[in-house]
PDB file of all heavy atoms in Angstrom:
ATOM      1  N   THR A   1      19.490  10.994  66.314  1.00  0.00           N
ATOM      2  CA  THR A   1      20.177   9.721  66.653  1.00  0.00           C
ATOM      3  C   THR A   1      19.215   8.690  67.162  1.00  0.00           C
ATOM      4  O   THR A   1      18.243   9.023  67.873  1.00  0.00           O
ATOM      5  CB  THR A   1      21.297  10.016  67.685  1.00  0.00           C
ATOM      6  OG1 THR A   1      22.237  10.920  67.098  1.00  0.00           O
ATOM      7  CG2 THR A   1      22.009   8.755  68.104  1.00  0.00           C
ATOM      8  N   ARG A   2      19.476   7.449  66.842  1.00  0.00           N
ATOM      9  CA  ARG A   2      18.621   6.333  67.265  1.00  0.00           C
ATOM     10  C   ARG A   2      19.340   5.586  68.413  1.00  0.00           C
ATOM     11  O   ARG A   2      20.510   5.285  68.336  1.00  0.00           O
ATOM     12  CB  ARG A   2      18.388   5.374  66.117  1.00  0.00           C
ATOM     13  CG  ARG A   2      17.395   4.250  66.450  1.00  0.00           C
ATOM     14  CD  ARG A   2      17.227   3.272  65.293  1.00  0.00           C
ATOM     15  NE  ARG A   2      18.423   2.447  65.178  1.00  0.00           N
ATOM     16  CZ  ARG A   2      19.255   2.454  64.130  1.00  0.00           C
ATOM     17  NH1 ARG A   2      19.062   3.227  63.119  1.00  0.00           N
ATOM     18  NH2 ARG A   2      20.307   1.661  64.133  1.00  0.00           N
ATOM     19  N   ILE A   3      18.556   5.277  69.453  1.00  0.00           N
ATOM     20  CA  ILE A   3      19.026   4.450  70.565  1.00  0.00           C
ATOM     21  C   ILE A   3      18.175   3.198  70.601  1.00  0.00           C
ATOM     22  O   ILE A   3      16.939   3.283  70.599  1.00  0.00           O
ATOM     23  CB  ILE A   3      18.915   5.214  71.909  1.00  0.00           C
ATOM     24  CG1 ILE A   3      19.779   6.472  71.880  1.00  0.00           C
ATOM     25  CG2 ILE A   3      19.282   4.315  73.085  1.00  0.00           C
ATOM     26  CD1 ILE A   3      19.565   7.396  73.062  1.00  0.00           C
ATOM     27  N   THR A   4      18.794   2.041  70.609  1.00  0.00           N
ATOM     28  CA  THR A   4      18.088   0.763  70.736  1.00  0.00           C
ATOM     29  C   THR A   4      18.339   0.221  72.129  1.00  0.00           C
ATOM     30  O   THR A   4      19.484  -0.066  72.468  1.00  0.00           O
ATOM     31  CB  THR A   4      18.521  -0.218  69.649  1.00  0.00           C
ATOM     32  OG1 THR A   4      18.348   0.379  68.369  1.00  0.00           O
ATOM     33  CG2 THR A   4      17.691  -1.510  69.740  1.00  0.00           C
ATOM     34  N   MET A   5      17.300   0.135  72.905  1.00  0.00           N
ATOM     35  CA  MET A   5      17.391  -0.275  74.318  1.00  0.00           C
ATOM     36  C   MET A   5      16.619  -1.581  74.491  1.00  0.00           C
ATOM     37  O   MET A   5      15.474  -1.691  74.109  1.00  0.00           O
ATOM     38  CB  MET A   5      16.790   0.849  75.191  1.00  0.00           C
ATOM     39  CG  MET A   5      16.889   0.572  76.652  1.00  0.00           C
ATOM     40  SD  MET A   5      16.371   2.017  77.639  1.00  0.00           S
ATOM     41  CE  MET A   5      14.631   2.132  77.184  1.00  0.00           C
ATOM     42  N   THR A   6      17.269  -2.556  75.105  1.00  0.00           N
ATOM     43  CA  THR A   6      16.623  -3.829  75.352  1.00  0.00           C
ATOM     44  C   THR A   6      16.475  -4.028  76.845  1.00  0.00           C
ATOM     45  O   THR A   6      17.452  -4.156  77.582  1.00  0.00           O
ATOM     46  CB  THR A   6      17.442  -5.000  74.786  1.00  0.00           C
ATOM     47  OG1 THR A   6      17.702  -4.750  73.390  1.00  0.00           O
ATOM     48  CG2 THR A   6      16.703  -6.309  74.932  1.00  0.00           C
ATOM     49  N   PRO A   7      15.217  -4.013  77.345  1.00  0.00           N
ATOM     50  CA  PRO A   7      14.964  -4.287  78.747  1.00  0.00           C
ATOM     51  C   PRO A   7      15.145  -5.815  79.016  1.00  0.00           C
ATOM     52  O   PRO A   7      15.033  -6.608  78.096  1.00  0.00           O
ATOM     53  CB  PRO A   7      13.491  -3.925  78.960  1.00  0.00           C
ATOM     54  CG  PRO A   7      13.072  -3.241  77.705  1.00  0.00           C
ATOM     55  CD  PRO A   7      14.005  -3.617  76.630  1.00  0.00           C
ATOM     56  N   PRO A   8      15.408  -6.198  80.256  1.00  0.00           N
ATOM     57  CA  PRO A   8      15.514  -7.631  80.552  1.00  0.00           C
ATOM     58  C   PRO A   8      14.239  -8.377  80.147  1.00  0.00           C
ATOM     59  O   PRO A   8      13.132  -7.884  80.404  1.00  0.00           O
ATOM     60  CB  PRO A   8      15.700  -7.643  82.070  1.00  0.00           C
ATOM     61  CG  PRO A   8      16.171  -6.292  82.443  1.00  0.00           C
ATOM     62  CD  PRO A   8      15.599  -5.365  81.426  1.00  0.00           C
ATOM     63  N   TRP A   9      14.413  -9.477  79.515  1.00  0.00           N
ATOM     64  CA  TRP A   9      13.296 -10.370  79.141  1.00  0.00           C
ATOM     65  C   TRP A   9      12.243  -9.674  78.263  1.00  0.00           C
ATOM     66  O   TRP A   9      11.057  -9.936  78.387  1.00  0.00           O
ATOM     67  CB  TRP A   9      12.620 -10.964  80.385  1.00  0.00           C
ATOM     68  CG  TRP A   9      13.588 -11.636  81.287  1.00  0.00           C
ATOM     69  CD1 TRP A   9      14.226 -12.798  81.049  1.00  0.00           C
ATOM     70  CD2 TRP A   9      14.075 -11.124  82.512  1.00  0.00           C
ATOM     71  NE1 TRP A   9      15.077 -13.084  82.082  1.00  0.00           N
ATOM     72  CE2 TRP A   9      15.018 -12.078  83.015  1.00  0.00           C
ATOM     73  CE3 TRP A   9      13.842  -9.998  83.277  1.00  0.00           C
ATOM     74  CZ2 TRP A   9      15.694 -11.890  84.207  1.00  0.00           C
ATOM     75  CZ3 TRP A   9      14.504  -9.829  84.453  1.00  0.00           C
ATOM     76  CH2 TRP A   9      15.410 -10.768  84.896  1.00  0.00           C
ATOM     77  N   ASP A  10      12.653  -8.729  77.428  1.00  0.00           N
ATOM     78  CA  ASP A  10      11.709  -8.088  76.543  1.00  0.00           C
ATOM     79  C   ASP A  10      12.363  -7.784  75.217  1.00  0.00           C
ATOM     80  O   ASP A  10      13.557  -7.931  75.032  1.00  0.00           O
ATOM     81  CB  ASP A  10      11.220  -6.780  77.190  1.00  0.00           C
ATOM     82  CG  ASP A  10       9.783  -6.431  76.797  1.00  0.00           C
ATOM     83  OD1 ASP A  10       9.299  -6.954  75.781  1.00  0.00           O
ATOM     84  OD2 ASP A  10       9.184  -5.587  77.479  1.00  0.00           O
ATOM     85  N   ASP A  11      11.527  -7.359  74.241  1.00  0.00           N
ATOM     86  CA  ASP A  11      12.026  -7.003  72.934  1.00  0.00           C
ATOM     87  C   ASP A  11      12.705  -5.633  72.966  1.00  0.00           C
ATOM     88  O   ASP A  11      12.395  -4.803  73.800  1.00  0.00           O
ATOM     89  CB  ASP A  11      10.888  -6.948  71.920  1.00  0.00           C
ATOM     90  CG  ASP A  11      10.233  -8.312  71.693  1.00  0.00           C
ATOM     91  OD1 ASP A  11      10.991  -9.325  71.772  1.00  0.00           O
ATOM     92  OD2 ASP A  11       9.024  -8.387  71.420  1.00  0.00           O
ATOM     93  N   PRO A  12      13.630  -5.376  72.015  1.00  0.00           N
ATOM     94  CA  PRO A  12      14.281  -4.091  71.940  1.00  0.00           C
ATOM     95  C   PRO A  12      13.265  -2.971  71.694  1.00  0.00           C
ATOM     96  O   PRO A  12      12.268  -3.170  70.991  1.00  0.00           O
ATOM     97  CB  PRO A  12      15.224  -4.232  70.772  1.00  0.00           C
ATOM     98  CG  PRO A  12      15.425  -5.678  70.571  1.00  0.00           C
ATOM     99  CD  PRO A  12      14.136  -6.310  71.023  1.00  0.00           C
ATOM    100  N   VAL A  13      13.545  -1.791  72.230  1.00  0.00           N
ATOM    101  CA  VAL A  13      12.728  -0.595  72.004  1.00  0.00           C
ATOM    102  C   VAL A  13      13.624   0.390  71.295  1.00  0.00           C
ATOM    103  O   VAL A  13      14.738   0.667  71.742  1.00  0.00           O
ATOM    104  CB  VAL A  13      12.246  -0.026  73.358  1.00  0.00           C
ATOM    105  CG1 VAL A  13      11.500   1.281  73.126  1.00  0.00           C
ATOM    106  CG2 VAL A  13      11.372  -1.042  74.085  1.00  0.00           C
ATOM    107  N   VAL A  14      13.115   0.932  70.204  1.00  0.00           N
ATOM    108  CA  VAL A  14      13.869   1.942  69.448  1.00  0.00           C
ATOM    109  C   VAL A  14      13.415   3.327  69.892  1.00  0.00           C
ATOM    110  O   VAL A  14      12.231   3.646  69.791  1.00  0.00           O
ATOM    111  CB  VAL A  14      13.735   1.738  67.922  1.00  0.00           C
ATOM    112  CG1 VAL A  14      14.435   2.860  67.160  1.00  0.00           C
ATOM    113  CG2 VAL A  14      14.227   0.377  67.503  1.00  0.00           C
ATOM    114  N   LEU A  15      14.379   4.144  70.347  1.00  0.00           N
ATOM    115  CA  LEU A  15      14.118   5.512  70.710  1.00  0.00           C
ATOM    116  C   LEU A  15      14.825   6.426  69.725  1.00  0.00           C
ATOM    117  O   LEU A  15      15.919   6.109  69.273  1.00  0.00           O
ATOM    118  CB  LEU A  15      14.695   5.790  72.114  1.00  0.00           C
ATOM    119  CG  LEU A  15      14.242   4.882  73.253  1.00  0.00           C
ATOM    120  CD1 LEU A  15      15.113   5.173  74.497  1.00  0.00           C
ATOM    121  CD2 LEU A  15      12.793   5.073  73.565  1.00  0.00           C
ATOM    122  N   HIS A  16      14.191   7.519  69.408  1.00  0.00           N
ATOM    123  CA  HIS A  16      14.818   8.549  68.582  1.00  0.00           C
ATOM    124  C   HIS A  16      15.006   9.812  69.396  1.00  0.00           C
ATOM    125  O   HIS A  16      14.025  10.290  69.989  1.00  0.00           O
ATOM    126  CB  HIS A  16      13.940   8.834  67.349  1.00  0.00           C
ATOM    127  CG  HIS A  16      13.854   7.677  66.409  1.00  0.00           C
ATOM    128  ND1 HIS A  16      14.790   7.407  65.462  1.00  0.00           N
ATOM    129  CD2 HIS A  16      12.953   6.662  66.321  1.00  0.00           C
ATOM    130  CE1 HIS A  16      14.487   6.309  64.816  1.00  0.00           C
ATOM    131  NE2 HIS A  16      13.357   5.851  65.319  1.00  0.00           N
ATOM    132  N   VAL A  17      16.242  10.281  69.457  1.00  0.00           N
ATOM    133  CA  VAL A  17      16.453  11.552  70.137  1.00  0.00           C
ATOM    134  C   VAL A  17      15.912  12.650  69.225  1.00  0.00           C
ATOM    135  O   VAL A  17      16.310  12.762  68.086  1.00  0.00           O
ATOM    136  CB  VAL A  17      17.963  11.791  70.430  1.00  0.00           C
ATOM    137  CG1 VAL A  17      18.186  13.137  71.096  1.00  0.00           C
ATOM    138  CG2 VAL A  17      18.526  10.656  71.291  1.00  0.00           C
ATOM    139  N   VAL A  18      14.931  13.421  69.729  1.00  0.00           N
ATOM    140  CA  VAL A  18      14.314  14.457  68.914  1.00  0.00           C
ATOM    141  C   VAL A  18      14.798  15.841  69.305  1.00  0.00           C
ATOM    142  O   VAL A  18      14.622  16.803  68.534  1.00  0.00           O
ATOM    143  CB  VAL A  18      12.777  14.379  68.915  1.00  0.00           C
ATOM    144  CG1 VAL A  18      12.323  13.087  68.279  1.00  0.00           C
ATOM    145  CG2 VAL A  18      12.186  14.515  70.305  1.00  0.00           C
ATOM    146  N   GLU A  19      15.415  15.942  70.494  1.00  0.00           N
ATOM    147  CA  GLU A  19      15.986  17.219  70.935  1.00  0.00           C
ATOM    148  C   GLU A  19      17.057  16.948  71.943  1.00  0.00           C
ATOM    149  O   GLU A  19      16.900  16.077  72.783  1.00  0.00           O
ATOM    150  CB  GLU A  19      14.873  18.092  71.550  1.00  0.00           C
ATOM    151  CG  GLU A  19      15.324  19.487  71.944  1.00  0.00           C
ATOM    152  CD  GLU A  19      14.220  20.349  72.479  1.00  0.00           C
ATOM    153  OE1 GLU A  19      13.048  19.868  72.603  1.00  0.00           O
ATOM    154  OE2 GLU A  19      14.497  21.512  72.785  1.00  0.00           O
ATOM    155  N   ALA A  20      18.142  17.710  71.890  1.00  0.00           N
ATOM    156  CA  ALA A  20      19.207  17.595  72.882  1.00  0.00           C
ATOM    157  C   ALA A  20      19.851  18.968  73.046  1.00  0.00           C
ATOM    158  O   ALA A  20      20.354  19.520  72.091  1.00  0.00           O
ATOM    159  CB  ALA A  20      20.231  16.568  72.443  1.00  0.00           C
ATOM    160  N   VAL A  21      19.765  19.482  74.257  1.00  0.00           N
ATOM    161  CA  VAL A  21      20.372  20.786  74.591  1.00  0.00           C
ATOM    162  C   VAL A  21      21.368  20.502  75.706  1.00  0.00           C
ATOM    163  O   VAL A  21      20.975  20.188  76.823  1.00  0.00           O
ATOM    164  CB  VAL A  21      19.320  21.806  75.038  1.00  0.00           C
ATOM    165  CG1 VAL A  21      19.990  23.150  75.358  1.00  0.00           C
ATOM    166  CG2 VAL A  21      18.248  21.993  73.963  1.00  0.00           C
ATOM    167  N   GLU A  22      22.631  20.625  75.395  1.00  0.00           N
ATOM    168  CA  GLU A  22      23.711  20.241  76.313  1.00  0.00           C
ATOM    169  C   GLU A  22      23.540  20.919  77.679  1.00  0.00           C
ATOM    170  O   GLU A  22      23.299  22.115  77.794  1.00  0.00           O
ATOM    171  CB  GLU A  22      25.080  20.627  75.764  1.00  0.00           C
ATOM    172  CG  GLU A  22      26.217  20.157  76.615  1.00  0.00           C
ATOM    173  CD  GLU A  22      27.570  20.431  76.015  1.00  0.00           C
ATOM    174  OE1 GLU A  22      27.648  20.669  74.793  1.00  0.00           O
ATOM    175  OE2 GLU A  22      28.554  20.385  76.755  1.00  0.00           O
ATOM    176  N   GLY A  23      23.586  20.080  78.712  1.00  0.00           N
ATOM    177  CA  GLY A  23      23.512  20.555  80.091  1.00  0.00           C
ATOM    178  C   GLY A  23      22.106  20.912  80.557  1.00  0.00           C
ATOM    179  O   GLY A  23      21.900  21.324  81.699  1.00  0.00           O
ATOM    180  N   GLU A  24      21.097  20.779  79.672  1.00  0.00           N
ATOM    181  CA  GLU A  24      19.731  21.182  80.001  1.00  0.00           C
ATOM    182  C   GLU A  24      18.698  20.098  79.860  1.00  0.00           C
ATOM    183  O   GLU A  24      17.939  19.814  80.792  1.00  0.00           O
ATOM    184  CB  GLU A  24      19.317  22.367  79.171  1.00  0.00           C
ATOM    185  CG  GLU A  24      20.083  23.624  79.444  1.00  0.00           C
ATOM    186  CD  GLU A  24      19.636  24.788  78.574  1.00  0.00           C
ATOM    187  OE1 GLU A  24      18.454  24.771  78.130  1.00  0.00           O
ATOM    188  OE2 GLU A  24      20.450  25.690  78.334  1.00  0.00           O
ATOM    189  N   LEU A  25      18.648  19.461  78.666  1.00  0.00           N
ATOM    190  CA  LEU A  25      17.580  18.483  78.453  1.00  0.00           C
ATOM    191  C   LEU A  25      17.816  17.629  77.211  1.00  0.00           C
ATOM    192  O   LEU A  25      18.599  18.018  76.360  1.00  0.00           O
ATOM    193  CB  LEU A  25      16.211  19.167  78.298  1.00  0.00           C
ATOM    194  CG  LEU A  25      15.943  20.031  77.076  1.00  0.00           C
ATOM    195  CD1 LEU A  25      15.437  19.246  75.908  1.00  0.00           C
ATOM    196  CD2 LEU A  25      14.957  21.133  77.406  1.00  0.00           C
ATOM    197  N   PHE A  26      17.171  16.501  77.206  1.00  0.00           N
ATOM    198  CA  PHE A  26      17.023  15.757  75.948  1.00  0.00           C
ATOM    199  C   PHE A  26      15.654  15.115  75.941  1.00  0.00           C
ATOM    200  O   PHE A  26      15.036  14.873  76.989  1.00  0.00           O
ATOM    201  CB  PHE A  26      18.134  14.741  75.741  1.00  0.00           C
ATOM    202  CG  PHE A  26      18.021  13.432  76.458  1.00  0.00           C
ATOM    203  CD1 PHE A  26      17.440  12.318  75.872  1.00  0.00           C
ATOM    204  CD2 PHE A  26      18.525  13.297  77.769  1.00  0.00           C
ATOM    205  CE1 PHE A  26      17.358  11.126  76.546  1.00  0.00           C
ATOM    206  CE2 PHE A  26      18.427  12.103  78.434  1.00  0.00           C
ATOM    207  CZ  PHE A  26      17.842  11.005  77.835  1.00  0.00           C
ATOM    208  N   VAL A  27      15.143  14.937  74.709  1.00  0.00           N
ATOM    209  CA  VAL A  27      13.833  14.367  74.520  1.00  0.00           C
ATOM    210  C   VAL A  27      13.967  13.190  73.565  1.00  0.00           C
ATOM    211  O   VAL A  27      14.650  13.295  72.550  1.00  0.00           O
ATOM    212  CB  VAL A  27      12.856  15.407  73.910  1.00  0.00           C
ATOM    213  CG1 VAL A  27      11.472  14.819  73.697  1.00  0.00           C
ATOM    214  CG2 VAL A  27      12.811  16.653  74.778  1.00  0.00           C
ATOM    215  N   ASP A  28      13.362  12.073  73.955  1.00  0.00           N
ATOM    216  CA  ASP A  28      13.327  10.926  73.044  1.00  0.00           C
ATOM    217  C   ASP A  28      11.902  10.477  72.775  1.00  0.00           C
ATOM    218  O   ASP A  28      10.979  10.772  73.565  1.00  0.00           O
ATOM    219  CB  ASP A  28      14.170   9.763  73.558  1.00  0.00           C
ATOM    220  CG  ASP A  28      13.659   9.147  74.858  1.00  0.00           C
ATOM    221  OD1 ASP A  28      12.477   8.696  74.863  1.00  0.00           O
ATOM    222  OD2 ASP A  28      14.413   9.134  75.826  1.00  0.00           O
ATOM    223  N   GLU A  29      11.710   9.829  71.644  1.00  0.00           N
ATOM    224  CA  GLU A  29      10.401   9.323  71.267  1.00  0.00           C
ATOM    225  C   GLU A  29      10.517   7.871  70.835  1.00  0.00           C
ATOM    226  O   GLU A  29      11.476   7.484  70.176  1.00  0.00           O
ATOM    227  CB  GLU A  29       9.796  10.096  70.115  1.00  0.00           C
ATOM    228  CG  GLU A  29       9.340  11.499  70.449  1.00  0.00           C
ATOM    229  CD  GLU A  29       8.679  12.202  69.318  1.00  0.00           C
ATOM    230  OE1 GLU A  29       8.670  11.678  68.146  1.00  0.00           O
ATOM    231  OE2 GLU A  29       8.161  13.299  69.538  1.00  0.00           O
ATOM    232  N   ALA A  30       9.515   7.093  71.221  1.00  0.00           N
ATOM    233  CA  ALA A  30       9.354   5.728  70.687  1.00  0.00           C
ATOM    234  C   ALA A  30       7.991   5.699  70.043  1.00  0.00           C
ATOM    235  O   ALA A  30       7.009   6.256  70.565  1.00  0.00           O
ATOM    236  CB  ALA A  30       9.408   4.723  71.848  1.00  0.00           C
ATOM    237  N   ARG A  31       7.913   5.060  68.912  1.00  0.00           N
ATOM    238  CA  ARG A  31       6.647   4.969  68.182  1.00  0.00           C
ATOM    239  C   ARG A  31       6.227   3.490  68.083  1.00  0.00           C
ATOM    240  O   ARG A  31       7.029   2.634  67.744  1.00  0.00           O
ATOM    241  CB  ARG A  31       6.774   5.570  66.790  1.00  0.00           C
ATOM    242  CG  ARG A  31       7.043   7.058  66.851  1.00  0.00           C
ATOM    243  CD  ARG A  31       7.126   7.682  65.454  1.00  0.00           C
ATOM    244  NE  ARG A  31       7.325   9.113  65.567  1.00  0.00           N
ATOM    245  CZ  ARG A  31       6.337  10.016  65.578  1.00  0.00           C
ATOM    246  NH1 ARG A  31       5.080   9.611  65.396  1.00  0.00           N
ATOM    247  NH2 ARG A  31       6.575  11.289  65.692  1.00  0.00           N
ATOM    248  N   PHE A  32       4.955   3.283  68.396  1.00  0.00           N
ATOM    249  CA  PHE A  32       4.338   1.975  68.301  1.00  0.00           C
ATOM    250  C   PHE A  32       3.050   2.142  67.538  1.00  0.00           C
ATOM    251  O   PHE A  32       2.031   2.530  68.153  1.00  0.00           O
ATOM    252  CB  PHE A  32       4.119   1.350  69.709  1.00  0.00           C
ATOM    253  CG  PHE A  32       5.379   1.187  70.495  1.00  0.00           C
ATOM    254  CD1 PHE A  32       5.790   2.165  71.376  1.00  0.00           C
ATOM    255  CD2 PHE A  32       6.137   0.067  70.336  1.00  0.00           C
ATOM    256  CE1 PHE A  32       6.936   2.039  72.114  1.00  0.00           C
ATOM    257  CE2 PHE A  32       7.331  -0.076  71.090  1.00  0.00           C
ATOM    258  CZ  PHE A  32       7.705   0.906  71.970  1.00  0.00           C
ATOM    259  N   GLY A  33       3.061   1.912  66.242  1.00  0.00           N
ATOM    260  CA  GLY A  33       1.886   2.151  65.450  1.00  0.00           C
ATOM    261  C   GLY A  33       1.521   3.627  65.487  1.00  0.00           C
ATOM    262  O   GLY A  33       2.367   4.503  65.222  1.00  0.00           O
TER     263      GLY A  33
END
Protein backbone atom coordinates (compact mmCIF):
# COMPACT_ATOMS: atom_id res chain seq x y z
CA THR A 1 0.00 0.00 0.00
CA ARG A 2 1.09 3.55 -0.80
CA ILE A 3 0.79 6.41 1.71
CA THR A 4 1.21 9.98 0.50
CA MET A 5 2.13 12.27 3.37
CA THR A 6 2.47 16.03 3.04
CA PRO A 7 4.42 17.83 5.78
CA PRO A 8 3.60 21.49 6.44
CA TRP A 9 5.22 23.77 3.87
CA ASP A 10 6.83 20.89 1.97
CA ASP A 11 6.25 18.59 -0.99
CA PRO A 12 4.36 15.32 -0.57
CA VAL A 13 6.41 12.24 0.39
CA VAL A 14 5.36 8.86 -0.97
CA LEU A 15 5.80 5.96 1.44
CA HIS A 16 5.32 2.32 0.55
CA VAL A 17 4.31 -0.11 3.27
CA VAL A 18 6.70 -3.03 2.76
CA GLU A 19 5.72 -5.07 5.81
CA ALA A 20 2.81 -5.05 8.25
CA VAL A 21 2.32 -7.53 11.08
CA GLU A 22 -0.84 -6.77 13.04
CA GLY A 23 -0.17 -5.72 16.61
CA GLU A 24 3.61 -5.95 16.16
CA LEU A 25 5.18 -3.77 13.48
CA PHE A 26 5.03 -2.05 10.16
CA VAL A 27 7.82 -0.93 7.87
CA ASP A 28 7.62 1.81 5.27
CA GLU A 29 10.07 2.98 2.64
CA ALA A 30 10.52 6.22 0.76
CA ARG A 31 12.78 6.32 -2.27
CA PHE A 32 14.60 9.40 -3.50
CA GLY A 33 16.74 8.45 -6.49
